[in-house]
Amino acid sequence: MEFMEGSEPVSPTGQYLNSSVLCVSIITVLESEVPINDVHIISFLKDVFLTINPRFSSVMVTDGKGDKQWKRVEVKVEDHFNVPIFPVGLSPTSYDEYLDNYLSKIAMDPFPQSKPLWELHVFKYPTSNATSNIIFKLHHSLGDGYSLMGALLSCLRRADNPSVPLTLPSRRNSEPESDNRSAWTRVPPIFPLIFNSLSDFGWSMLKSTLVEDDQTPIRSGDEGVEYRPITISTMTFSLDRIKHMKEKLGLTTNDVITGIIFLGTRLCMQEISHGSSKANSTALVLLNTRMIRAYKSVKEMVEPDSESPWGNRFAFLHVSIPKFKDPKSSDPLEFVWEAHKIIKRKRSSLGVYLTSRLLEIVKELRGPEAVARYIHGTLRNSSMTVSNVIGPVQKVAFVNHPLKGLYYMTVGVPQNLTLTIVNYMGELRVTAGIEKGFLDPEKFKSCMKNAFEMMLKAVDELPPRKTSI
């Protein structure tokens, strides 16, 4: 390596995610409608990608004091560019299997620490969903979903008119607070706040150290799950139908999505093992801790005092997956209401802040490796992780390649099941990362689609909501 001048301290979270205990990456798949042009992609990497953020041209090194730094290096993009070769002339379903195995392979391959922590792969064979696929693998220490999606959005152009800037998507509250409410009513009562905060903080500590979820069809409890092959499968839902459910229930889009995921997961568990419908299972729902609800440009993100800073700004919410009270007559809407109630309460407590302070203390006393072990325990003791990012609203093109769809997956986590969600052009793409041979992906997808239909039917049977005059 040839080092260049300048270095930047690695954030604490960046150190935790690239340690001897954890090595977490994000794989993003862009489904192209046209064949990939290698020359254009390599030019993009040199002229655009490397200029987005210095971390894409940096390696993580340890200085003389034992602190980790991002150190700039000369980058040869060809060392990060991969084009796998497979037999030609096969059917799209055959290439689906080749793509799945290839994604599993790169998910397990560790990053060389002597090079910047990113790769780009081009899968040039037609699958059921695309003519070809562009695959980014980026280490999670480079940034979280918000940062990396923001970087991707800066590289995309409108497919209908590349000269027109892409509209940066945002998430809006489903029901804004009325201006007539007094300031006092907006402040949560102090005693419930204290109780909920201490309760959430204590439960989070127990779940990260002593209390494990039950062994179920979605959680084996084995050590070393993060080193095993995975299957990455996707399913698509209509965003308009989800918004219809949201408006009929008076909740948020995330409430509805989470409720569908919880119901589908329980249906799958019960179908495989009837007793698991009563098992104690916890989902870690990722929370973006930035105080904004819309993407900013990359230039704004990297400013010193940015309100939406680049990096890893997220926290885990421990959310118990609701159980079937009566499997034969259980109301599917219970899963939406329960998810809404738990997440709303946890969002309004200080449990996340107290946990963050605890990790800072552990880092100061015992170092970042001890915190990484704590986070590893948090992941391992739960049953699954659910993360959600906002995708492009308009049809977009990546380096003149119109995209039919996109999805992503977090890999390297000690869980048998990981779920991610992204929207694109009015569709919601839910992606499941499942340990191969542990849980049947087709069965899981079938149960998830069944949950969606059950939820939609239950919502349509509700009487119209009463609106205040």
Side-chain angles (χ1 to χ4, degrees):
M1 287 186 297
E2 182 178 344
F3 289 102
M4 303 169 64
E5 291 186 5
S7 63
E8 177 190 358
V10 179
S11 69
T13 306
Q15 296 183 54
Y16 310 152
L17 297 173
N18 188 24
S19 64
S20 64
V21 184
L22 280 175
C23 188
V24 184
S25 301
I26 299 173
I27 291 176
T28 301
V29 181
L30 309 179
E31 297 173 329
S32 175
E33 291 184 345
V34 299
I36 304 297
N37 186 311
D38 290 3
V39 175
H40 290 172
I41 297 294
I42 292 176
S43 296
F44 157 79
L45 292 176
K46 292 178 179 178
D47 302 333
V48 179
F49 181 76
L50 293 181
T51 66
I52 292 175
N53 192 298
R55 295 186 190 182
F56 297 146
S57 303
S58 303
V59 295
M60 195 180 291
V61 299
T62 305
D63 62 20
K65 298 179 181 179
D67 297 324
K68 289 188 176 182
Q69 305 277 338
W70 291 111
K71 194 73 174 179
R72 295 289 297 275
V73 296
E74 291 285 351
V75 180
K76 187 176 181 181
V77 297
E78 289 77 7
D79 293 341
H80 300 258
F81 186 74
N82 304 275
V83 183
I85 304 298
F86 298 108
V88 297
L90 303 181
S91 65
T93 53
S94 297
Y95 287 125
D96 287 343
E97 186 174 351
Y98 275 108
L99 176 61
D100 179 60
N101 290 333
Y102 188 70
L103 291 174
S104 180
K105 175 186 177 299
I106 65 176
M108 292 188 297
D109 288 343
F111 276 109
Q113 296 295 309
S114 59
K115 297 190 298 185
L117 302 174
W118 63 269
E119 299 170 351
L120 189 143
H121 305 255
V122 171
F123 189 90
K124 292 188 171 183
Y125 304 90
T127 62
S128 299
N129 293 323
T131 301
S132 49
N133 291 268
I134 302 164
I135 306 163
F136 278 98
K137 181 185 177 184
L138 303 108
H139 200 283
H140 212 319
S141 60
L142 296 171
D144 57 14
Y146 176 91
S147 298
L148 298 179
M149 178 57 77
L152 176 62
L153 290 170
S154 72
C155 304
L156 300 175
R157 296 292 180 266
R158 284 181 51 166
D160 60 344
N161 189 350
S163 63
V164 177
L166 185 68
T167 303
L168 294 179
S170 64
R171 176 182 288 121
R172 295 178 176 85
N173 287 318
S174 60
E175 291 190 353
E177 291 183 348
S178 169
D179 291 336
N180 295 327
R181 293 176 60 195
S182 68
W184 176 252
T185 61
R186 300 179 189 179
V187 179
I190 187 66
F191 291 111
L193 175 65
I194 294 173
F195 176 81
N196 290 338
S197 299
L198 294 177
S199 174
D200 290 342
F201 173 63
W203 180 239
S204 175
M205 283 189 61
L206 287 173
K207 289 297 297 179
S208 298
T209 53
L210 299 175
V211 180
E212 294 187 27
D213 277 2
D214 295 334
Q215 293 185 18
T216 65
I218 65 168
R219 181 180 184 272
S220 66
D222 294 345
E223 296 282 355
V225 170
E226 61 268 38
Y227 305 114
R228 298 177 183 175
I230 64 171
T231 291
I232 297 176
S233 58
T234 72
M235 58 208 93
T236 303
F237 300 102
S238 165
L239 195 56
D240 285 340
R241 288 190 171 187
I242 290 175
K243 288 179 179 178
H244 162 69
M245 288 188 265
K246 174 200 78 169
E247 292 165 1
K248 194 80 178 286
L249 295 170
L251 300 175
T252 68
T253 301
N254 276 346
D255 290 333
V256 175
I257 296 169
T258 306
I260 292 171
I261 287 175
F262 285 174
L263 175 59
T265 301
R266 279 293 183 192
L267 289 172
C268 185
M269 293 167 64
Q270 178 178 269
E271 189 171 321
I272 298 171
S273 173
H274 187 77
S276 66
S277 61
K278 295 289 187 179
N280 293 314
S281 300
T282 306
L284 294 176
V285 178
L286 266 67
L287 171 68
N288 180 6
T289 58
R290 295 170 178 84
M291 300 302 292
I292 56 159
R293 303 182 64 84
Y295 286 110
K296 300 294 183 181
S297 68
V298 173
K299 182 179 179 181
E300 291 175 291
M301 280 194 238
V302 298
E303 290 176 353
D305 299 320
S306 173
E307 65 173 357
S308 56
W310 181 285
N312 283 285
R313 303 296 179 99
F314 67 90
F316 294 120
L317 295 182
H318 286 88
V319 181
S320 296
I321 301 176
K323 303 174 184 178
F324 284 120
K325 296 179 181 178
D326 179 1
K328 293 184 179 180
S329 60
S330 183
D331 180 5
L333 296 183
E334 290 177 1
F335 285 77
V336 174
W337 294 118
E338 189 67 19
H340 167 73
K341 182 176 70 174
I342 295 173
I343 294 175
K344 181 179 180 180
R345 184 181 64 79
K346 287 181 176 288
R347 278 177 174 270
S348 61
S349 84
L350 301 177
V352 168
Y353 171 77
L354 294 175
T355 301
S356 175
R357 292 294 301 156
L358 171 67
L359 297 185
E360 290 177 13
I361 294 171
V362 173
K363 177 180 178 292
E364 293 300 321
L365 296 178
R366 301 178 58 191
E369 288 288 327
V371 181
R373 286 192 292 272
Y374 184 94
I375 296 174
H376 184 279
T378 301
L379 292 161
R380 183 187 175 278
N381 290 352
S382 59
S383 295
M384 66 180 188
T385 298
V386 182
S387 64
N388 182 9
V389 297
I390 313 171
V393 177
Q394 304 146 330
K395 185 171 184 177
V396 295
F398 176 80
V399 196
N400 298 321
H401 298 83
L403 299 185
K404 185 178 180 181
L406 60 93
Y407 58 94
Y408 74 102
M409 176 50 55
T410 305
V411 299
V413 295
Q415 293 176 322
N416 306 98
L417 173 63
T418 303
L419 294 174
T420 63
I421 307 160
V422 64
N423 62 288
Y424 177 53
M425 289 177 55
E427 292 186 335
L428 201 73
R429 196 75 170 269
V430 178
T431 305
I434 302 172
E435 179 191 340
K436 283 192 175 182
F438 179 72
L439 175 64
D440 181 1
E442 293 304 316
K443 182 185 291 293
F444 185 80
K445 288 169 62 174
S446 174
C447 291
M448 203 61 65
K449 291 176 181 178
N450 188 24
F452 178 83
E453 295 299 331
M454 289 172 62
M455 201 77 72
L456 183 61
K457 183 175 182 293
V459 168
D460 286 339
E461 291 175 350
L462 291 174
R465 288 180 63 206
K466 294 181 179 181
T467 56
S468 57
I469 300 176

